[in-house]
């Protein structure tokens, strides 16, 4: 672009010799224009309308604006409330207040590691296995026989393996509070005993005078007493994409960063009572809630428990009341059902599946910090996304497509002139965006010699440069800044038409959430850079915004294709949120955060707040409590929610969401609260994660069918055998079957499956239907084999095999028959989940090789088995292969009959619920059944067990400010601190 050296002739400026009497009323009648630029509303400071000596205000007084306007109380009243002055505190008084208010840091509740480990044995599945272990070691001691040490050792080993895996996962996760603590400023400058010293930020107290400058982290919530050109980046706390200018009496939040200037202030709140601390208090606030996968495991476990319970009770009646068996003999049969029927390895198998899935997601630059979140991500129906730094780059940019010009300058000329009037070093965010728009930073000073530069300050609200153009040698001056200030400076070519256009353009920018930056230009005669110019002329208007990431729109489209609805939830202002939504194709049905408190406005088409939340494309101006509430309400409506974010203000919602996703560049607080941390810019990784999670979900669903089917086949099969033939199978061999099968099934994590195109859900009715069908089919394969062996001599006659007892008089509890049944059950069970992946095929072959070796060589004296010949092993293999072939036919038959019926019933119920919500005005909600609530409560006992056993007082119980009071939080802090000090008045001379 060429240098903008267009010569400008003086326009119709005001002439001093113009006769005043010709237009005597013109200066009075001319309407003063208001340029409705985008920004925060300013409020005037007020005084408290109460006697400040009576600072023990009641709760009602605190929120009574007739007495105290908590939002605008003047700094003098703050000093009075805090019983301090601008000279700071004495060391003695600071120590006294430290005892009253506590340290300026967030306390973390530490869990007892041993109790946490034991808690993983506190669930229904573990209870049954623990009962089985007690039966084996304690109740089995009788009738001259030693306790069943082998079964006891095997069961105990299984329990400890599962607990160890769960303990390892949970111990390494949940570090959100620690990250929040670490991100507080470790050092601070405070005035103690009248002198500025450096102290640990943890010993700051309300009433301390602190100072900070560019690059410093604000160490505590404070009200400014002095501010010199201060700009604060609080995007990580409030979600605002633009740095906020601060002046005297404004509040600065703990954890925000000073981007420009220097300031002094009085501390009004520390530690858990700060804005930052309140965000921390919401992270993990509902620790006793049960995870989604745990709820599903509880219901699957309950299905297995019911099946086992029915047949255990039946065996007790039949064996003891009917067969009159001895105490110990009946107990061994009951142990078979307990050990074989309980899918004790289910948490382990699913953990391995999820862990391998987490490694696969890491290849897409997504680090999983809570592996159970993978399962929940597969079922996510709504993705709540923060805007700043997530959907957008969190980097201010000039929008070239919206540049307005008002003179003979092109858009490129306007950008170049604005870059001249910008710093090239120590830039603020706006200067950086303007200079960055050039592409080459060097062009901001190329071809000119800087003579004078006036940086931005809160009073003038503009920057100005005077320079000599090297090509012509002429002096020129450019200024850029707030629209109203710049247009007042302009005198050349300033017409009503120009002003009207400017007013309309600024209003258009404001409605779209774009910040307007006006640029004006003048020439200076002579060589004196201090001389007056020929009058500023408005040359252009720049629009500054936080642009969407390059891949965000495609990511949103991909998410919608996967059946996931995206909602924007941002701390930025409504106009900005709507503009971003339009650019991304999200829509602009967005609402301010106040509707979360007030509900739908009168006359709205929405009957309830829940309806409004479901319809909204997003919400703006939200604080941590609002994001938390939105996610919680969506979950209450039956949705699984994912939440993306990058700032500390997102941490509570990230923690509450089913799946919290911290994007690349997120703060430590956000990463600590998140379940998935992205290490590459943008959200495209989320699409890979959703697809990967659905593949993993299909693997887990297959295992759930397998586990339930094995339960059915074990309890039904061995119950029928004991009822029919008084069959006494050794419990230890059932334990071997469980170990080998579950070890094989762990390779399910690399099984070949296809992801679904819609959010997955655990349709347990389908899973149980498949399980019953497969379980009964496999039971039939075993029962028929036993019948053929006991009731005929077919195998002996055709293949020349034999057992310990002669044909026709075969002992129903022949040791070799036990081994045959062991081998048949071990092989056929794995056919349920066999898929042609190399890892699973290899594991299958290895497990069957081990089973076959045990059958061929095991003569274990402690259990009732004996090795069998190779011919018997071959017979069992052929038998199982024959029964394996029709398994797919059963699956197809189930899909065409039972599964089709279940799905149609589900669809009819969903349609009926929708009609009821439309016709009867009842919102669509998912009501938890009583049975489901029982399942959940059984598993939530694990966390409540920890709380009851080792509960300590944590920081979350110290913060008691409701969400609707948040906007007046600053002065509430000051009053609460004042009340505390009133109860602990300073000592004389302190």
């Amino acid at each position: 672009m060429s240098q903008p050296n267009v010569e400008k002739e003086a326009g119709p400026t005001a002439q001093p010799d113009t006769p005043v009497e010709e237009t005597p009323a013109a200066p009075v009648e001319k309407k003063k224009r208001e340029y409705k630029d985008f920004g925060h509303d300013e409020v005037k400071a007020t005084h408290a309308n109460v006697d400040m000596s009576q600072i023990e205000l009641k709760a009602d007084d605190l929120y009574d604006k007739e007495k105290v306007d908590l939002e605008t109380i003047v700094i003098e009243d703050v000093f009075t409330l805090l019983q301090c002055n601008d000279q700071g505190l004495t060391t003695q008084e600071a120590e006294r207040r430290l005892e009253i208010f506590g340290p300026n840091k967030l306390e973390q509740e530490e869990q007892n590691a041993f109790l946490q480990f034991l808690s993983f044995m506190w669930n229904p599945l573990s209870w049954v296995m623990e009962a089985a272990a007690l039966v084996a070691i304690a109740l089995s001691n009788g009738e001259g026989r030693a306790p069943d040490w082998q079964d006891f050792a095997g069961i105990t080993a299984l329990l400890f393996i599962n607990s160890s895996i769960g303990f390892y996962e949970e111990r390494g996760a949940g570090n959100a509070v620690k990250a929040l603590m670490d991100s507080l400023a470790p050092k601070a400058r405070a005035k103690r005993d009248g002198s500025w010293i450096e102290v640990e930020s943890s010993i700051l107290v309300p009433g301390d005078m602190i100072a900070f400058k560019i690059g410093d982290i604000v160490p505590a919530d404070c009200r400014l007493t002095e501010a010199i050109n201060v700009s604060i980046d609080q995007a990580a706390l409030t979600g605002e994409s633009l740095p906020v200018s601060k002046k005297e009496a404004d509040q600065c939040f703990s954890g925000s960063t000073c981007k420009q200037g220097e300031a002094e202030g009085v501390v009004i709140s520390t530690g858990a009572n700060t804005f930052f601390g309140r965000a921390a208090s919401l992270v993990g606030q509902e620790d006793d809630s049960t995870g989604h996968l745990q709820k599903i495991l509880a219901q699957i476990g309950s299905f297995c428990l019911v099946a086992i319970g029915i047949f255990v009770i039946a065996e007790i009646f039949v064996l003891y009341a009917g067969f009159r068996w001895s105490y110990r003999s009946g107990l061994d049969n009951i142990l078979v059902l307990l050990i074989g029927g309980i899918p004790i390895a289910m948490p382990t198998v699913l953990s391995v599946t999820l862990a391998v899935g987490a490694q696969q997601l890491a290849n897409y630059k997504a680090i999983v910090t809570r592996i159970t979140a993978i399962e929940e991500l597969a079922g996510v129906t709504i993705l709540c996304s923060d805007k700043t730094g997530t959907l957008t780059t969190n980097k201010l940019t000039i929008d070239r497509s919206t540049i307005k010009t008002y003179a003979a300058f092109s858009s490129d000329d306007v950008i170049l002139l604005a870059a001249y009037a910008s710093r090239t070093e120590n830039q603020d965010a706006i200067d950086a965006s303007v200079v960055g728009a050039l592409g080459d930073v060097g062009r901001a000073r190329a071809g000119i010699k800087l003579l004078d530069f006036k940086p931005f300050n809160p009073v003038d609200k503009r920057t100005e440069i005077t320079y000599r153009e090297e090509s012509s040698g002429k002096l020129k001056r450019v200024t850029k800044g707030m629209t109203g200030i710049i247009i007042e400076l302009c005198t050349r070519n300033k017409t009503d038409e120009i002003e009207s256009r400017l007013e309309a353009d600024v209003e258009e920018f404001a409605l779209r959430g774009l910040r307007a930056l006006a640029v004006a230009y003048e020439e200076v005669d002579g060589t004196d850079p201090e001389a007056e110019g020929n009058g500023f002329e408005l040359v252009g208007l720049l629009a500054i915004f936080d642009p969407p990431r390059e891949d965000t729109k495609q990511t949103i489209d991909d998410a919608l294709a996967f059946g996931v609805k995206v909602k924007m939830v941002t701390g930025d202002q409504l106009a900005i949120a709507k503009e971003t939504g339009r650019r991304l194709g999200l829509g602009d049905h967005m609402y301010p955060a106040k509707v979360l408190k007030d509900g739908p406005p009168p006359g709205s088409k929405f009957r309830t707040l829940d309806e409004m939340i479901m319809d909204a494309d997003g919400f703006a101006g939200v604080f941590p409590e609002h994001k938390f509430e939105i996610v919680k309400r969506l979950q209450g409506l039956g949705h699984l929610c994912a939440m993306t974010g990058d700032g500390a203000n997102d941490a509570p919602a990230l923690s509450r969401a089913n799946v919290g996703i911290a994007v690349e560049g997120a703060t430590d607080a956000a990463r600590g609260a998140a379940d998935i941390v992205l290490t590459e810019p943008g959200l495209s990784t989320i699409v890979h994660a959703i697809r990967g999670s659905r593949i993993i979900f299909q693997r887990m669903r297959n295992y759930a069918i397998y586990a339930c089917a094995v339960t059915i086949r074990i309890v039904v099969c061995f119950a029928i055998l004991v009822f029919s033939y008084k069959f006494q199978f050794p419990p230890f061999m059932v334990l071997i079957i469980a170990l080998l099968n579950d070890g094989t099934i762990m390779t399910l994590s690399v099984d070949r499956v296809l992801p679904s195109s819609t959010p997955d859900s655990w349709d347990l009715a389908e899973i149980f239907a498949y399980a019953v069908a497969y379980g009964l089919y496999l039971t039939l394969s075993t029962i028929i084999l036993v019948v053929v062996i006991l009731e005929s001599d077919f195998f002996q006659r055709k293949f020349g095999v034999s057992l310990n007892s002669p044909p026709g008089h075969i002992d129903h509890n022949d040791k070799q028959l036990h081994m045959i049944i062991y081998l048949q059950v071990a092989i056929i069970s794995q056919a349920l989940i066999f898929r042609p992946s190399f890892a699973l095929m290899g594991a299958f072959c290895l497990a069957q090789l081990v089973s076959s070796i045990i059958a061929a060589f095991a003569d274990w004296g402690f259990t009732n088995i004996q090795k069998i010949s190779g011919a018997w092993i071959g017979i069992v293999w052929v038998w199982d292969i024959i029964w394996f072939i029709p398994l797919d036919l059963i699956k197809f038959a189930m899909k065409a009959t039972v599964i089709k019926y279940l799905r149609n019933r589900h669809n009819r119920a969903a349609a009926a619920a929708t009609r009821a919500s439309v016709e009867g005005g009842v919102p669509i909600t998912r009501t938890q059944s009583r049975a489901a609530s029982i399942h959940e409560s059984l598993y939530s006992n694990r966390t409540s067990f920890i709380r009851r056993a080792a509960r300590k007082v944590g920081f979350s119980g110290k913060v008691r400010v409701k969400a609707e009071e948040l906007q007046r939080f600053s002065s509430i802090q000051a009053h609460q601190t004042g009340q505390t000090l009133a109860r602990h008045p300073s000592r004389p001379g302190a």
Side-chain angles (χ1 to χ4, degrees):
M1 184 184 74
S2 61
Q3 290 290 337
N5 55 6
V6 180
E7 297 292 337
K8 300 296 178 184
E9 296 182 0
T13 59
Q15 301 296 327
D17 56 351
T18 302
V20 177
E21 60 273 9
E22 290 184 10
T23 56
V28 178
E29 294 178 353
K30 185 174 181 180
K31 177 185 177 183
K32 180 174 177 60
R33 297 177 181 272
E34 295 182 3
Y35 297 93
K36 299 179 181 179
D37 204 351
F38 179 77
H40 293 272
D41 295 332
E42 294 187 2
V43 293
K44 295 181 179 180
T46 63
H47 286 274
N49 298 322
V50 293
D51 184 357
M52 293 303 293
S53 65
Q54 305 294 324
I55 60 174
E56 288 188 293
L57 298 176
K58 299 179 181 178
D60 293 339
D61 296 332
L62 286 177
Y63 308 109
D64 187 351
K65 283 197 172 186
E66 295 298 322
K67 297 179 179 179
V68 183
D69 189 342
L70 297 177
E71 297 179 10
T72 60
I73 184 171
V74 296
I75 196 70
E76 289 80 7
D77 288 352
V78 173
F79 278 122
T80 304
L81 286 168
L82 298 181
Q83 302 175 16
C84 62
N85 54 44
D86 59 5
Q87 294 304 305
L89 304 174
T90 64
T91 301
Q92 182 181 5
E93 176 66 10
E95 291 175 354
R96 188 182 74 89
R97 295 189 182 201
L98 188 62
E99 294 177 2
I100 297 172
F101 296 102
N104 180 35
K105 61 183 181 180
L106 304 181
E107 298 178 10
Q108 184 176 9
E109 180 179 354
E110 293 289 340
Q111 289 184 349
N112 183 291
F114 180 68
L115 292 176
Q116 187 180 5
F117 175 79
L118 292 182
S119 71
F120 286 94
M121 300 184 186
W122 194 257
N123 61 70
L125 295 182
S126 295
W127 294 341
V128 174
M129 292 303 289
E130 289 155 11
L134 289 176
V135 168
I137 195 65
L139 301 183
S140 295
N141 190 14
E143 299 182 1
R145 295 170 59 185
D148 197 346
W149 291 103
Q150 295 82 13
D151 288 338
F152 173 77
I155 296 169
T156 304
L158 273 178
L159 285 169
F160 272 89
I161 290 172
N162 286 293
S163 295
S164 298
I165 293 175
F167 174 77
Y168 174 78
E169 293 166 5
E170 187 168 292
R171 198 68 179 171
N175 293 322
V177 174
K178 183 178 184 300
L180 286 165
M181 292 171 60
D182 292 343
S183 58
L184 284 172
K187 297 284 186 181
R189 282 183 56 79
K191 184 178 282 190
R192 296 280 174 88
D193 300 316
S195 301
W196 288 104
I197 61 173
E198 188 176 80
V199 300
E200 296 285 340
S201 64
S202 61
I203 66 172
L204 290 177
V205 294
D208 259 326
M209 290 295 299
I210 59 172
F212 53 86
K213 60 184 184 303
I214 183 172
D216 290 346
I217 297 176
V218 180
D221 283 10
C222 62
R223 293 283 295 274
L224 298 184
T225 58
E226 183 179 328
I228 303 174
N229 197 21
V230 175
S231 178
I232 299 293
D233 179 5
Q234 53 192 40
L237 295 175
T238 65
E240 294 170 290
S241 55
L242 301 173
V244 180
S245 296
K246 297 289 185 179
K247 59 183 184 300
E248 184 178 329
D250 283 349
Q251 181 180 17
C252 290
F253 294 125
S254 169
S256 56
T257 305
C258 181
K259 288 294 188 182
Q260 184 177 345
E262 55 186 43
E264 295 179 9
V266 56
V267 174
I268 62 172
S269 194
T270 58
N273 295 311
T274 63
F275 182 93
F276 196 85
R278 294 184 63 252
S281 71
L282 292 175
V283 176
Q285 187 181 70
E286 300 185 10
D287 289 339
D288 287 344
S289 61
T290 308
H292 182 257
L293 183 59
Q294 281 67 40
K295 296 177 185 178
I296 299 302
L297 290 179
Q299 295 182 55
I300 294 175
S302 297
F303 172 84
C304 297
L305 290 177
V306 169
I308 294 169
I310 291 172
F311 284 92
V312 165
I313 293 173
E315 281 202 356
I316 290 174
F317 279 102
V318 172
L319 300 185
Y320 292 116
F323 295 164
R324 303 291 180 181
W325 275 14
S326 67
Y327 165 75
R328 184 67 184 270
S329 298
L331 211 57
D332 286 343
N333 280 276
I334 292 174
L335 274 176
V336 168
L337 301 191
L338 291 178
I339 297 173
I342 288 293
I344 184 60
M346 180 183 290
T348 305
V349 172
L350 296 185
S351 294
V352 171
T353 301
L354 291 170
V356 172
Q359 293 177 355
Q360 294 169 344
L361 292 181
N363 296 330
Y364 295 107
K365 308 301 181 182
I367 298 173
V368 180
T369 61
R370 180 176 67 88
I371 63 172
T372 54
I374 298 174
E375 177 269 338
E376 296 182 39
L377 183 60
V380 161
T381 54
I382 294 179
L383 173 62
C384 294
S385 177
D386 180 53
K387 180 190 72 68
T388 307
T390 305
L391 298 176
T392 64
T393 62
N394 194 18
K395 184 179 180 182
L396 296 183
T397 304
I398 300 296
D399 187 356
R400 286 180 171 271
S401 64
T402 59
I403 294 176
K404 308 292 184 181
T405 59
Y406 304 95
F409 289 87
S410 68
S411 296
D412 290 338
D413 291 336
V414 173
I415 291 178
L416 183 58
L417 289 173
Y420 286 164
S422 303
R423 285 181 181 270
T424 55
E425 297 178 354
N426 297 324
Q427 299 170 313
D428 60 21
I430 293 178
D431 282 353
S433 67
V434 172
V435 174
L438 290 177
D440 181 5
V441 177
R443 292 180 58 199
R445 293 293 180 265
I448 67 171
K449 181 178 181 181
L450 189 151
L451 301 177
D452 183 54
F453 187 87
K454 296 178 181 177
F456 178 88
N457 65 76
V459 177
D460 295 333
K461 297 183 179 179
R462 65 186 182 92
T463 63
E464 181 182 288
I465 185 175
T466 304
Y467 63 92
R468 177 180 289 111
E469 191 174 75
E470 294 179 350
S471 61
S472 64
K474 291 185 177 182
L475 267 61
K476 299 183 178 182
R477 186 174 290 131
V478 178
T479 184
K480 77 176 194 315
M482 186 174 176
T483 310
I485 300 296
I486 299 299
I487 194 62
E488 287 297 322
L489 289 175
C490 293
T491 58
R492 188 157 51 92
N493 294 335
K494 180 179 177 181
T495 64
D496 285 341
E497 179 186 357
I498 292 292
E499 290 190 82
S500 296
R501 280 183 55 199
L502 178 64
E503 186 176 11
D505 291 339
V506 171
E507 187 170 355
E508 176 195 343
F509 282 2
L511 291 174
R512 296 178 58 185
L514 305 174
R515 174 171 287 188
L517 189 69
V519 183
Y521 161 93
E522 71 173 357
E523 295 184 355
V524 181
D525 294 332
T527 59
D528 183 8
E530 301 293 333
E532 294 289 334
N534 66 337
F536 278 111
E537 177 183 9
L538 182 69
V539 297
L541 191 69
L542 302 178
I544 302 176
F545 77 117
D546 182 13
R549 293 181 183 269
E550 292 182 358
D551 64 344
T552 299
K553 190 176 189 307
Q554 183 61 47
T555 298
I556 291 173
D557 292 341
D558 292 342
L560 293 173
F562 274 107
V564 179
K565 181 174 175 57
V566 181
K567 292 181 184 292
M568 183 194 303
V569 183
T570 176
D572 227 329
Q573 300 183 49
L574 183 61
I576 294 179
K578 287 188 174 184
E579 176 66 14
T580 304
R582 284 190 287 264
R583 289 174 183 255
L584 292 174
L586 273 179
D588 56 4
H589 290 173
M590 300 193 186
Y591 306 100
K594 67 178 183 180
V595 302
L596 298 174
K597 178 185 72 172
D598 302 336
S604 170
K605 65 178 181 179
F606 305 111
R607 294 182 295 273
T608 66
L609 177 58
D610 288 341
E611 286 186 11
M612 195 173 194
I613 291 176
M614 283 302 301
D615 176 77
D617 296 319
F619 292 89
V622 300
F623 284 107
E625 285 85 351
H626 300 135
K627 294 184 178 184
F628 188 89
E629 181 67 17
I630 290 169
V631 172
K632 188 175 180 180
R633 280 184 173 271
L634 288 172
Q635 290 172 329
L637 291 171
H639 291 277
L640 292 185
C641 289
M643 169 74 183
T644 69
D646 69 332
N649 64 314
D650 300 319
L654 289 174
S655 176
R656 170 70 198 190
N658 299 95
V659 184
I661 303 171
V663 298
E664 188 270 341
T667 62
D668 288 344
R671 288 197 295 267
D675 305 306
I676 298 176
V677 179
L678 307 185
T679 59
E680 279 192 348
L683 297 179
S684 59
T685 303
I686 293 179
V687 175
H688 293 299
I690 290 175
R691 185 179 186 278
S693 67
R694 293 186 182 178
I695 290 175
I696 296 164
F697 182 92
Q698 292 302 318
R699 293 168 179 162
M700 291 193 296
R701 179 179 179 274
N702 289 345
Y703 174 74
I705 294 174
Y706 163 83
C708 294
V710 167
T711 294
I712 295 296
R713 74 100 69 247
I714 291 291
V715 298
V716 174
C717 174
F718 286 102
I720 291 176
L721 288 178
V722 74
F723 296 159
S724 304
Y725 295 107
K726 299 183 179 179
F727 195 75
Q728 293 179 287
F729 194 74
F732 186 78
M733 298 313 295
V734 175
L735 192 62
I736 295 296
I737 292 173
L739 285 171
L740 288 176
N741 284 357
D742 288 330
T744 301
I745 297 306
M746 287 186 186
T747 59
L748 176 73
S749 55
V750 291
D751 196 10
R752 295 178 182 177
V753 293
L754 295 176
S756 62
S757 59
T758 56
D760 286 311
S761 62
W762 288 94
D763 193 330
L764 295 180
E766 285 190 18
I767 290 175
F768 296 155
Y770 276 123
V772 170
Y774 291 150
L776 293 179
Y777 178 77
L778 296 184
T779 295
L780 193 62
S781 72
T782 305
I783 297 297
I784 292 179
L785 176 63
V786 172
V787 170
V788 171
I789 293 175
L790 295 179
E791 304 296 338
S792 74
D793 60 354
F794 175 77
F795 292 118
Q796 292 89 332
R797 185 164 38 84
K798 291 291 184 182
F799 303 103
V801 294
S802 63
L803 296 175
N804 289 331
S805 47
H809 300 86
I810 296 177
D811 182 3
H812 293 177
N813 286 297
D814 189 295
K815 292 184 177 181
Q816 290 185 320
L817 178 60
H818 287 166
M819 185 66 86
I820 292 172
I821 300 307
Y822 153 76
L823 183 61
Q824 193 272 335
V825 171
I827 294 174
I828 195 63
S829 295
Q830 294 185 10
L832 285 174
I833 204 163
F834 188 77
R835 295 291 185 275
S837 70
F838 292 110
L840 190 54
M841 182 183 297
F844 173 82
C845 294
L846 179 61
Q848 302 322 311
L849 176 63
V850 171
S851 296
S852 300
I853 291 174
I854 290 174
F857 298 102
D859 275 324
W860 295 333
F862 59 84
T863 189
N864 197 19
I865 59 169
Q866 185 177 329
K867 63 184 180 182
I868 57 176
S869 65
W872 273 118
I873 294 174
I875 289 171
V876 172
W877 269 96
V878 172
W879 181 269
D880 282 348
I881 290 173
I882 292 173
W883 281 86
F884 169 75
I885 294 173
L887 268 177
D888 277 343
L889 297 178
I890 293 178
K891 180 172 68 176
F892 296 144
M894 287 290 295
K895 281 186 176 180
T897 55
V898 177
I899 303 304
K900 181 179 180 180
Y901 165 77
L902 292 174
R903 290 179 178 175
N904 289 337
R905 187 183 67 176
H906 176 78
N907 293 336
R908 286 195 300 269
T914 302
R915 285 195 302 272
S917 68
V918 174
E919 298 170 2
V922 179
I924 300 176
T925 59
R926 182 177 296 176
T927 303
Q928 192 177 44
S929 67
R930 177 172 175 80
S933 65
I934 293 173
H935 296 150
E936 178 178 346
S937 65
L938 288 174
Y939 270 74
S940 65
N941 281 341
R942 193 189 70 74
T943 50
S944 60
F945 168 77
I946 300 177
R947 300 299 177 195
R948 291 194 302 271
R951 188 160 191 86
K952 298 181 181 180
V953 178
F955 69 86
S956 60
K958 297 180 180 179
V959 182
R960 290 294 182 269
V961 180
K962 294 182 180 179
E964 58 266 23
E965 299 160 356
L966 183 61
Q967 292 182 349
R968 292 181 278 176
F969 186 61
S970 165
S971 296
I972 291 174
Q973 290 172 322
H975 279 74
Q976 290 174 335
T977 305
Q979 287 179 293
T980 304
L981 286 172
R983 294 191 295 270
H984 303 81
S986 302
R987 300 186 184 94

